[in-house]
Amino acid sequence: MPPGHGHDASHGTGRLWSVDEHLDDILTTVRPLEPIVLQLLDAQGCVLVEDITVPVSLPPFDNSSMDGYAVRVADVAGASEEFPAVLTVIGDVAAGQGEQPTVGAGEAARIMTGAPLPPGAEAVVPVEWTDGGLGAGTAAGMRAHSTAPEGASGEVRVYRPAQARAHVRAQGSDVRAGDRALAAGTILGPPQIALLAAIGRGTVKVRPRPRVVVLSTGSELIQPGEELAPGQIYDSNSFALTAAARDAGAIAYRVGAVTDDVDILRSTIEDQLIRADLVVTTGGVSVGAYDVVKEALDSIGDPDDAEGLGAGGGVEFRKLAMQPGKPQGFGAIGPDHTPLLALPGNPVSSYVSFEIFVRPVVRALMGLTDLHRTTARAQLTADRALTSPPGRRQFLRGRYDAGAGTVTPVGGAGSHLVAALAQADALIVVPEATTSVEPGTEVDVVLLG
């Protein structure tokens, strides 16, 4: 569906859109990225598109969970410090060893952690329960074969009995062949990557992490680390939004601030389309004389596109019934109809807009169904009532105490207050129909952590 066509596009700039209308219009347009096959480490952070079935049980064989001796239960029954069981050591069993000695009556095999339980053995006694084959009292640990070859032969004294299967990890005790190891829709983190490797998968089919290009506009912006001249400010928005995109699961590219020049901005955005699944701009979307994003986006894209999606018709600028974040833009640009979200330039407005609108798009591109931040109900703790303009959904910064079930406002309502944003871990949501929220009232909070 072309952007802006989910509702009456003719009213796009003339009417006030609700937060939900704008978000729904965006999400009906966005489609998950096409699946690709990636090497395991390249697939970290990506979403599985197939169920993974276990081809081989884990562990694939009975193995020892301790360094010690593989024994028969009857041979160590009743063993004690005073009357140890004395067994003949017939050899070593090491991890990765193919052929093992068979343990018969009165015999033991020295075994290492992870090594297969040899034929005939029923249990493992830890080396600390024995003299280590050295005849000098209780052993503190297993000596290396190279420094104590006598430990793999001769006799060993066992000072404690062992039950059947003691210190043995059973074949298939982790997962069994034919089990479902991972379900489609799983995000691959380190534990999931480990499991895939453990069952022998070298590649996996996933939806790739979306590539998000973040671009800020404004001639007053300079890069952190440079010297401020009169009238200049540091570009914080592009850093905040790039970090937020990465936090949402994207591969994010930050483009340095672009001056308020339509031609430069247009060519910069066009150059970025080759590496973008999503473009996010910040600044230049309200009603000022220098709001160049609107003008630049009017002429980006595919001149052969009859629907005008790439030629500007697909980018619509709207006023939303929200605070902060009233001016918003959304559409698709370029020959591939790359989605673009144009966010306001005020730092708090841009960040709130990202959390409410852009984060769900990133998650949708990944193929996830859980698109939004977790929300909770919390009791407002404040010195006085919170006020909110009628007909607007307001998002206020707050600190959430999960244990107490409370949320406390941080800073004022100003859309430029970055310091307060840095202290917040939640957004307090004041509904459109509410103009005042008294302390003690239960409110919805969007958890940012």
Side-chain angles (χ1 to χ4, degrees):
M1 180 189 299
H5 293 212
H7 303 281
D8 185 353
S10 63
H11 294 299
T13 55
R15 71 176 178 94
L16 210 57
W17 289 62
S18 75
V19 171
D20 294 334
E21 283 177 327
H22 183 59
L23 182 58
D24 289 346
D25 197 42
I26 293 169
L27 292 179
T28 55
T29 307
V30 175
R31 297 287 177 266
L33 299 177
E34 287 300 311
I36 57 175
V37 175
L38 292 176
Q39 299 287 328
L40 287 192
L41 289 178
D42 294 331
Q44 183 173 353
C46 297
V47 177
L48 269 179
V49 297
E50 57 183 351
D51 288 347
I52 302 293
T53 302
V54 180
V56 59
S57 295
L58 291 182
F61 46 80
D62 290 351
N63 70 89
S64 177
S65 65
M66 304 286 285
D67 292 338
Y69 290 85
V71 300
R72 290 157 49 115
V73 171
D75 291 335
V76 295
S80 66
E81 297 275 351
E82 190 176 358
F83 300 106
V86 182
L87 305 177
T88 301
V89 181
I90 58 171
D92 268 356
V93 184
Q97 183 176 318
E99 216 171 303
Q100 299 97 30
T102 298
V103 177
E107 295 178 338
R110 199 168 74 146
I111 192 167
M112 313 306 153
T113 302
L117 189 69
E122 300 166 322
V124 172
V125 290
V127 66
E128 295 85 357
W129 295 7
T130 76
D131 67 352
L134 304 177
T138 304
M142 188 77 79
R143 295 177 67 188
H145 181 76
S146 60
T147 60
E150 74 281 359
S153 60
E155 293 180 336
V156 63
R157 286 170 172 76
V158 180
Y159 301 122
R160 292 173 61 178
Q163 301 297 317
R165 311 293 292 173
H167 306 111
V168 174
R169 302 170 179 142
Q171 177 185 9
S173 56
D174 191 351
V175 288
R176 294 188 176 277
D179 286 353
R180 187 172 71 175
L182 296 170
T186 301
I187 299 177
L188 298 181
Q192 292 77 31
I193 298 287
L195 176 56
L196 289 166
I199 62 175
R201 289 291 296 255
T203 61
V204 67
K205 192 174 186 180
V206 295
R207 294 193 192 277
R209 294 165 64 198
R211 300 164 301 162
V212 177
V213 170
V214 176
L215 184 147
S216 56
T217 64
S219 299
E220 76 281 12
L221 301 176
I222 68 165
Q223 297 306 299
E226 298 178 8
E227 198 71 33
L228 281 178
Q232 292 182 327
I233 59 172
Y234 289 119
D235 171 22
S236 64
N237 283 7
S238 65
F239 285 91
L241 299 184
T242 302
R246 290 176 179 171
D247 184 66
I251 298 169
Y253 305 106
R254 189 190 72 86
V255 179
V258 179
T259 188
D260 287 322
D261 180 285
V262 172
D263 293 332
I264 293 174
L265 179 57
R266 181 187 301 119
S267 63
T268 301
I269 294 176
E270 287 175 339
D271 288 346
Q272 293 298 322
L273 289 178
I274 193 168
R275 65 170 181 174
D277 298 309
L278 171 66
V279 176
V280 179
T281 67
T282 169
V285 295
S286 57
V287 293
Y290 293 95
D291 290 335
V292 297
V293 172
K294 290 181 181 179
E295 191 176 346
L297 293 181
D298 275 346
S299 54
I300 289 179
D302 179 5
D304 299 323
D305 185 353
E307 284 189 301
L309 285 175
V315 180
E316 186 178 291
F317 292 89
R318 303 167 176 171
K319 295 174 182 176
L320 266 60
M322 68 182 288
Q323 183 180 351
K326 180 180 178 181
Q328 300 283 338
F330 165 62
I333 59 173
D336 296 325
H337 296 173
T338 304
L340 179 143
L341 275 80
L343 310 184
N346 279 320
V348 176
S349 301
S350 68
Y351 179 70
V352 170
S353 299
F354 183 98
E355 288 295 339
I356 304 304
F357 303 121
V358 185
R359 183 183 175 89
V361 172
V362 171
R363 310 279 288 178
L365 289 169
M366 292 174 71
L368 291 167
T369 54
D370 181 14
L371 304 182
H372 307 285
R373 287 285 198 187
T374 301
T375 58
R377 295 284 286 175
Q379 191 177 69
L380 178 67
T381 58
D383 297 332
R384 55 184 180 274
L386 300 182
T387 59
S388 185
R392 302 285 192 273
R393 185 179 304 180
Q394 188 172 43
F395 297 90
L396 297 167
R397 284 133 289 171
R399 285 199 64 80
Y400 174 63
D401 185 332
T406 59
V407 66
T408 307
V410 177
S415 57
H416 62 292
L417 302 174
V418 184
L421 183 62
Q423 303 302 316
D425 60 9
L427 296 174
I428 302 168
V429 184
V430 183
E432 289 86 345
T434 302
T435 56
S436 180
V437 183
E438 295 292 333
T441 304
E442 271 210 341
V443 292
D444 284 326
V445 292
V446 178
L447 306 183
L448 300 178

